[in-house]
Amino acid sequence: MATEESAGGARKATKSKLFEFLVHGVRPGMPSGARMPHQGAPMGPPGPPYGGSTAVRPGLPSPGMEPSRKRPAASQQVQQQPAVQNRARNAKRRKMADKILPQRIRELVPESQAYMDLLAFERKLDQTIMRKRVDIQEALKRPMKQKRKLRLYISNTFNPAKPDADDSDGSIASWELRVEGKLLDDVGKQKRKFSSFFKSLVIELDKDLYGPDNHLVELMGSHAKWHRTPTTQETDGFQVKRPGDVSVRCTLLLMLDYQPPQFKLDPRLARLLGIHTQTRSCIIQALWQYVKTNKLQDSHDKEYINCDKYFQQIFDCPRLKFSEIPQRLTNLLLPPDPIVINHVISVDPNDQKKTACYDIDVEVEDPLKAQMSSFLLSTANQQEIASLDNKIHETIESINQLKIQRDFMLSFSRDPKGYIQDWLKSQSRDLKLMTDVVGNPEEERRAEFYQEPWTQEAVSRYFYSKIQQRRQELEQALAMRNT
């Protein structure tokens, strides 16, 4: 949880510093309320660049252009649809490059290098967090277990017979056995129940006293053995009550609930690998390590393994594929051995307060796993970080617009006449694009345009096309009259 808060806090602090620098000009390390000095009064005309509205030179056609000068509307719609979609897509997809100040702005404002340093730090921080998230995701795919001590308490009480008792239970001597346990140094918020560590529990009593058919104790119901089922209610201990007035020897068989499941290896395979009980994946990994160490992999066909004398004794074949080993392991993996505890149920009053304690090594989930999962699923500070990102993008766009306005004013101050002429030409080109005008109206309105050498040929082609069009109309009219 501390890692999650520190990572989110670092990202939020970096975003805040970036935005504060862009808006107020506060460099990291400057005192509160301080501002960077401006290099001159802000320049630029109000409104959008190049004026607040589109300027139209006298004599130019108005936006309401005649249809003959406009391009077909169908192609216009086809071209506009992808443009609208691209604008919407780009508005949603803002990249890191959109937050970089142009080089010319950095040259005008040397203090902006502090913003670029913060941007580089933010990029490194994001890369580090992303790399750590990937590492955490990979770590969560593997079992994360810790070895802990489970303390087992075994005690018993003896109830002597009462001759004057009214009920049948009190008139017969009996003893009661308790099996309880708890996890030592359990730091989890939810304490695990004792029964959650075991898959099954069997108590065997002395056959000489209780006979061969009644020596298995009924636990928590009518079953001779306690086994975990999907509907099992977890408990902190077990109690067994039996009639008797003599001490009884008993054997407790505890089968741990391994997650993931563990298996006991065949004695031959256990001696070869040096493993007694382990998970299936660890066993296969140990086999592969043995194959590499002894160079049993076929040099020509890497898929096959040439068995040595030990592999031949275990797998009963001279050569096999490594992909066949998981299937062949099925007959070599046995259920793990239970924990066996021998105990004497004493009916001596002096032994009633004695409790036998045993420590058992168990595997529990690493508490760090829950923190890692919560870190991946956490959305803390995400909205605030996204809001700061949007403000940074908007501020950068505003700075770029102000830079355009400044360039406009500087160019106009150097050569007003030439700049106005260039500006009018630019506005004319923009107007043609906006209104889809074909041709050059500025040139067409002058007399010199119609005295060019190509005008005679253009007029002849125009009259020829009109004559052809009229001839087709007459032929169609005569054909309809004759029919």
Side-chain angles (χ1 to χ4, degrees):
M1 196 61 67
T3 305
E4 170 192 345
E5 292 178 355
S6 61
R11 290 194 65 194
K12 185 170 68 175
T14 305
K15 299 285 185 184
S16 300
K17 289 180 181 179
L18 286 171
F19 180 66
E20 187 177 1
F21 176 81
L22 286 175
V23 176
H24 305 296
V26 178
R27 296 188 61 177
M30 293 180 64
S32 178
R35 297 289 184 269
M36 289 192 307
H38 295 284
Q39 295 189 357
M43 300 179 62
Y50 306 111
S53 60
T54 305
V56 180
R57 185 172 177 178
L60 289 178
S62 62
M65 192 65 61
E66 61 269 18
S68 62
R69 288 189 177 275
K70 292 190 177 182
R71 295 189 180 95
S75 62
Q76 178 182 356
Q77 293 178 357
V78 172
Q79 293 175 0
Q80 286 181 353
Q81 287 178 358
V84 172
Q85 294 176 358
N86 290 335
R87 282 196 300 270
R89 190 182 302 112
N90 292 334
K92 295 180 180 178
R93 190 195 315 161
R94 289 180 170 178
K95 300 180 180 179
M96 176 66 82
D98 298 335
K99 295 193 289 187
I100 297 177
L101 287 172
Q103 182 64 32
R104 295 190 62 183
I105 295 179
R106 281 181 271 168
E107 293 173 356
L108 291 173
V109 187
E111 291 83 356
S112 62
Q113 184 60 37
Y115 168 77
M116 299 303 297
D117 294 341
L118 282 174
L119 204 61
F121 175 76
E122 181 198 13
R123 188 182 299 110
K124 291 181 180 179
L125 180 62
D126 288 342
Q127 291 174 354
T128 302
I129 293 176
M130 183 60 65
R131 185 170 61 252
K132 292 300 181 183
R133 290 179 70 92
V134 173
D135 293 342
I136 290 174
Q137 290 174 353
E138 292 298 324
L140 289 176
K141 295 178 181 179
R142 301 186 295 270
M144 299 180 62
K145 300 290 185 179
Q146 279 187 344
K147 289 283 188 180
R148 303 291 294 276
K149 291 291 185 181
L150 178 67
R151 180 152 295 176
L152 191 67
Y153 302 94
I154 302 177
S155 62
N156 69 275
T157 58
F158 174 67
N159 300 317
K162 297 178 181 179
D164 55 348
D166 298 335
D167 55 348
S168 58
D169 293 339
S171 61
I172 301 176
S174 63
W175 51 261
E176 185 175 316
L177 177 68
R178 293 188 182 91
V179 181
E180 302 169 326
K182 67 176 183 179
L183 194 65
L184 298 182
D185 301 329
D186 191 1
V187 296
K189 294 182 179 180
Q190 294 182 352
K191 305 294 184 181
R192 284 189 62 176
K193 298 289 187 178
F194 169 70
S195 62
S196 65
F197 293 96
F198 300 98
K199 186 184 296 183
S200 65
L201 171 62
V202 177
I203 299 179
E204 295 183 356
L205 302 178
D206 191 351
K207 294 182 181 180
D208 297 335
L209 293 177
Y210 291 92
D213 298 331
N214 198 27
H215 70 288
L216 291 178
V217 176
E218 298 181 358
L219 295 175
M220 307 301 291
S222 59
H223 299 284
K225 303 176 183 179
W226 178 85
H227 292 279
R228 176 179 302 284
T229 62
T231 58
T232 298
Q233 295 292 331
E234 304 297 350
T235 179
D236 284 327
F238 301 96
Q239 294 181 1
V240 177
K241 188 175 182 179
R242 279 288 186 274
D245 55 0
V246 296
S247 299
V248 181
R249 294 191 307 272
C250 67
T251 302
L252 284 76
L253 304 177
L254 304 171
M255 182 65 72
L256 289 173
D257 186 17
Y258 295 103
Q259 294 296 335
Q262 295 189 10
F263 302 91
K264 175 185 174 182
L265 276 69
D266 182 271
R268 298 170 298 172
L269 187 59
R271 287 194 300 270
L272 181 66
L273 301 180
I275 297 175
H276 183 269
T277 303
Q278 195 49 267
T279 61
R280 182 184 291 268
S281 59
C282 291
I283 296 171
I284 295 177
Q285 185 177 0
L287 282 170
W288 175 243
Q289 189 65 34
Y290 179 85
V291 169
K292 290 196 301 181
T293 303
N294 295 275
K295 300 180 180 179
L296 302 181
Q297 193 173 15
D298 195 304
S299 58
H300 300 288
D301 192 349
K302 300 292 185 180
E303 189 178 1
Y304 283 88
I305 295 172
N306 298 320
C307 298
D308 58 2
K309 61 179 181 179
Y310 302 109
F311 263 37
Q312 291 183 16
Q313 293 175 3
I314 295 172
F315 296 107
D316 195 21
C317 63
R319 192 166 182 259
L320 78 160
K321 292 182 178 180
F322 190 80
S323 58
E324 298 175 0
I325 289 182
Q327 182 180 359
R328 292 177 177 267
L329 276 178
T330 305
N331 298 327
L332 300 173
L333 300 182
L334 309 173
D337 292 333
I339 299 173
V340 180
I341 299 176
N342 296 313
H343 182 73
V344 176
I345 302 173
S346 176
V347 297
D348 187 354
N350 297 326
D351 295 337
Q352 295 296 306
K353 297 182 179 180
K354 292 183 179 180
T355 301
C357 297
Y358 303 90
D359 285 343
I360 302 173
D361 290 329
V362 295
E363 291 183 345
V364 298
E365 291 287 346
D366 194 336
L368 185 60
K369 185 174 183 179
Q371 298 181 10
M372 295 165 68
S373 300
S374 63
F375 173 76
L376 294 179
L377 300 175
S378 174
T379 58
N381 302 324
Q382 292 297 325
Q383 293 183 353
E384 189 171 356
I385 292 174
S387 175
L388 290 172
D389 260 337
N390 291 332
K391 290 180 180 179
I392 292 173
H393 284 290
E394 293 171 359
T395 306
I396 292 294
E397 291 176 1
S398 175
I399 291 174
N400 291 331
Q401 294 293 334
L402 292 174
K403 174 64 170 57
I404 294 175
Q405 295 179 13
R406 182 181 183 277
D407 292 342
F408 170 82
M409 290 298 185
L410 288 177
S411 300
F412 181 75
S413 63
R414 296 190 190 100
D415 185 10
K417 179 181 177 181
Y419 190 78
I420 289 296
Q421 289 179 351
D422 295 339
W423 179 52
L424 290 175
K425 292 179 181 178
S426 173
Q427 293 291 80
S428 177
R429 290 194 300 268
D430 294 343
L431 182 63
K432 286 175 58 178
L433 293 175
M434 293 169 58
T435 56
D436 294 328
V437 175
V438 180
N440 192 340
E442 177 64 20
E443 296 179 357
E444 292 176 6
R445 74 185 189 88
R446 301 178 181 274
E448 293 83 0
F449 178 78
Y450 301 97
Q451 296 178 1
E452 296 290 336
W454 54 268
T455 54
Q456 296 295 331
E457 183 180 356
V459 170
S460 300
R461 288 178 176 273
Y462 175 77
F463 281 119
Y464 179 76
S465 62
K466 288 295 184 180
I467 291 172
Q468 293 290 25
Q469 181 181 356
R470 183 58 179 167
R471 177 180 295 175
Q472 291 179 1
E473 293 176 357
L474 291 174
E475 289 178 353
Q476 292 177 0
L478 290 174
M480 292 178 60
R481 184 176 299 177
N482 293 333
T483 56

